[in-house]
Structure formats: C-alpha cells, structure tokens
Amino acid sequence: MTKITPRPGIMDIALYQGGQASVEGVRDAVKLSSNENPFGPSEAAIEAFRRAAFELHRYPPTDHAALRNAIAETHGLDAERIICGVGSDEIIHFLCQCYAGQGDEVIHTEHGFAMYKISALASGAKPVEVPERERVTDVDAILAACTKRTKLVFVANPNNPTGTMIGAQEVARLAEGLPKQAILVLDGAYAEYVDHYDGGAALVDARENVVMTRTFSKLYGLGGLRVGWGYGPQAIIDVLNRVRGPFNLSTAALATAEAAMRDRTWAEKCRADNARLRVWLAGALAEHGVPSDVSMANFILARFADAKEAEACDDYLKTQGLIVRRVGGYNLPNCLRITVGDEASCRRVAHAVGQFKGGAR
C-alpha cells in the first residue's frame, strides 16, 4: 500500500495555540489573552456589516478596490501597491509561498510572532531564529544571521508578545544591510497604537526590498472578520496577487473594513484610551512588584521571577475570572501577556495580581 505523506516541513509545524477564551466553571470571564480591542468596532463599521447582510448572495469584488482606496487615502499610499488578505497572516503566508522554498531560509527573532515560523515551514523553507537583546529586536544579530540563502526577514515593530520596538534609523539600517535577494517584512499589526508612526510606509516607498503588513484585527476591532493588508513595491505586490484567491475576502468583511478605516474619530478614541490605560496598567503592576518593558502596543508583557510564579499567577487569575496569555511558547516562560482592556478590566486584573503577590492563592 502506498504511504501518503505530506511535504517535508509540514509535520514540523506545531498547531497554533490561540489565546484562551473561557474558564471552566466561570461565567462572564474577562478575556485579556488575545489583544482584542475591548471597545469593539465603530458604529459605522457595525452598520456597514448590517447592510452587507442584504448582499450575501453576491460574490465579492475580486480587486478589493474600495477598501484599497480607503486605506490609500487614509495613509497617503498608492492603492495599486496594496494587497488585502485574510488577516495579515495571509499576507505573511503569501510572501513565504512566493519567495521562500526548499533550501531557502526565513529569519525571525526569538520572541517573534508564531506565524513566521509556521508559514516558512509550510513553504518548505528553513526558519532561522535569532536572539533579541533584552526582548528588543537586535539588528546586528539579524544581519549576522543572513546568508546567501536568506529570502525573507520578519520583524514585528512593535513586537508581539514583547510590546517593544526599534526606531526608524535601525529599521533602515537593517533594510540597507540585507543580502540583495532578501525582503524585509515589517509586521505592523500594532503600528496604529504608536503615535506619529507610519509602520514603515516611507521605507517601503524608498526601497525595493521592504514590505509592510497591517491588520484590522487590533485597533479597528475586527478580529472576527479577519481582514489584513500589505503594502510593498509594485513588482512584489504583483507576484503576491498571482497566488491570492480571487474571492479571499467576503463582501461583509470588505465593506466593514472600509467603514472602519474611514471612521477616524473612533480609531483615534481607541488609540488614546489604550495609551492612557496602558500606562496606568504598567504602573499598577510595577507597584505590585511585576515589572514590564515599555509597551508600544495594546498589551503589557508582565515579568515574574520564574516560570513557576508566572504559571501560579495565571492559575490564580483564572479563579478570579480573568484570562491572560502564557507565552512560554514564545521563549518567555516567566511572563504573562496581558491585554489592555477597558478601565474596569485593567483595574480588576491589577487588583488580582496584587492579591496574588500578597499571598493569595
């Protein structure tokens, strides 16, 4: 009998573990494990979703023109160089599918987003993990890891799950120092939470080897619809569109994302509220003896003495109806990633951590 087997690399992929969404025996638990916007989508986005219900029998447009134009107008970009996908995850997958294969290498940092490794393995390429410097992307370490086989370098800026980021000059130095055959991919899933930050768009315009990815899942509160986008040199975007399914985004997703992008008042409110509560939560945790790096995203990476204490705190929080994220899978076993929720959630989780540190179990 013929043995049916997958391509090399596929069975090396560990199944992705999403943030826990419920606690057995606890009703109405507060979910702070997936970096979701606690305020949800704007009313304009919700109304667009409602209207889309009357068009569900129609296939969606294949060119995503209305959404691409909304993104371009909002961010001052060239709409022809924008590609839309099922979350930014799909854009990451397209890049690996198109530019990395057997014998190629894909670089990511030690605390980088899990999808970089998964997509690299799925394409048949070898993922190469490089160290960070105190949970911050180390440009020199990345450049030292590059070889003639390096095809893609993924850097999340701000990074998940650390919340840290590097400055524009360091990013530009990285792009300049890469081998000629390599593409720098700037994952900007959390870029909207940083004031006066373009996510790398200016660098994309200035170079031929940089691509930027973004998402509607965080600031815009559309994680349940799965919409993301990428911006890059025309030649690269043309390549990615050759593997993109013609109907990869639904009518409802396209219409809702367009409305969300155009509602700048709601986006600015969510950004401002997150910035205020992020500072408060980090300070409150520090007062309880739980330090964190300065986060530029919508979460705090809380550091504990060791993995045992982090896990014990997580267990205690669950008894209080609070769900956070263990990040041992990101090489951070002594940490818990805590989403910045609304004010009540932030106060509740800070109080619970204080109780834990005070001896409650």
Side-chain angles (χ1 to χ4, degrees):
M1 179 180 291
T2 301
K3 183 180 180 182
I4 300 173
T5 58
R7 288 194 302 101
I10 299 298
M11 297 309 295
D12 295 327
I13 299 173
L15 294 177
Y16 182 82
Q17 299 295 319
Q20 189 174 346
S22 62
V23 179
E24 187 175 354
V26 177
R27 294 184 60 186
D28 301 322
V30 176
K31 184 185 177 189
L32 301 172
S33 58
S34 296
N35 301 340
E36 296 153 331
N37 183 341
F39 309 109
S42 73
E43 284 296 330
I46 293 171
E47 179 57 29
F49 185 79
R50 288 194 187 103
R51 291 197 304 269
F54 296 99
E55 297 292 327
L56 296 185
H57 58 301
R58 304 295 186 190
Y59 278 99
T62 62
D63 62 1
H64 307 157
L67 177 56
R68 289 190 295 106
N69 286 332
I71 294 169
E73 291 166 16
T74 299
H75 294 288
L77 306 176
D78 179 359
E80 294 301 313
R81 294 164 56 195
I82 294 172
I83 182 173
C84 299
V86 183
S88 53
D89 295 2
E90 189 174 38
I91 310 301
I92 291 167
H93 186 74
F94 289 160
L95 285 159
C96 289
Q97 182 181 2
C98 292
Y99 289 99
Q102 203 71 36
D104 296 328
E105 295 176 349
V106 174
I107 289 177
H108 63 90
T109 64
E110 65 177 314
H111 306 311
F113 184 40
M115 287 306 301
Y116 308 149
K117 180 178 180 179
I118 291 172
S119 293
L121 288 169
S123 71
K126 176 185 177 182
V128 176
E129 181 179 293
V130 302
E132 296 179 10
R133 184 181 300 166
E134 295 295 318
R135 299 167 301 282
V136 178
T137 297
D138 187 337
V139 169
D140 291 322
I142 292 174
L143 293 176
C146 288
T147 71
K148 64 182 180 181
R149 293 183 296 277
T150 303
K151 292 297 180 67
L152 294 163
V153 174
F154 285 101
V155 172
N157 204 38
N159 191 29
N160 170 34
T162 64
T164 60
M165 67 181 298
I166 57 175
Q169 288 187 337
E170 280 293 274
V171 176
R173 183 167 74 87
L174 175 57
E176 178 65 30
L178 291 183
K180 292 181 179 181
Q181 79 282 354
I183 299 171
L184 172 61
V185 183
L186 297 175
D187 181 349
Y190 299 92
E192 281 89 357
Y193 289 105
V194 184
D195 288 336
H196 311 298
Y197 176 51
D198 69 355
L203 190 64
V204 173
D205 286 337
R207 303 190 59 88
E208 295 297 318
N209 67 335
V210 181
V211 173
M212 173 182 74
T213 65
R214 303 283 276 272
T215 186
F216 282 87
S217 297
K218 306 304 178 184
L219 182 73
Y220 297 103
L222 299 182
L225 281 186
R226 310 304 302 126
V227 186
W229 56 281
Y231 181 63
Q234 190 69 64
I236 293 177
I237 298 302
D238 287 347
V239 168
L240 301 187
N241 272 317
R242 293 175 184 273
V243 298
R244 178 181 65 83
F247 303 113
N248 61 324
L249 287 176
S250 70
T251 301
L254 289 166
T256 307
E258 181 188 352
M261 177 59 66
R262 293 193 182 280
D263 191 342
R264 303 318 301 165
T265 300
W266 182 254
E268 291 300 328
K269 177 191 182 300
C270 292
R271 180 187 292 110
D273 286 348
N274 176 79
R276 174 177 58 84
L277 292 168
R278 181 179 62 199
V279 171
W280 184 90
L281 180 57
L285 293 175
E287 288 179 3
H288 295 310
V290 181
S292 61
D293 298 312
V294 175
S295 173
M296 303 303 293
N298 68 335
F299 56 85
I300 301 293
L301 184 68
R303 300 201 305 275
F304 295 83
D306 50 33
K308 183 178 179 181
E309 186 186 32
E311 291 171 4
C313 184
D314 181 42
D315 290 338
Y316 176 73
L317 292 177
K318 288 176 183 175
T319 69
Q320 304 303 301
L322 295 162
I323 306 171
V324 299
R325 182 73 178 268
R326 295 188 186 186
V327 284
Y330 285 92
N331 300 316
L332 292 162
N334 66 318
C335 298
L336 296 176
R337 193 189 68 189
I338 305 174
T339 302
V340 177
D342 59 17
E343 186 160 353
S345 299
C346 287
R347 291 187 178 278
R348 185 172 163 183
V349 75
H351 177 70
V353 170
Q355 288 182 314
F356 169 80
K357 293 293 284 186
R361 294 290 189 275

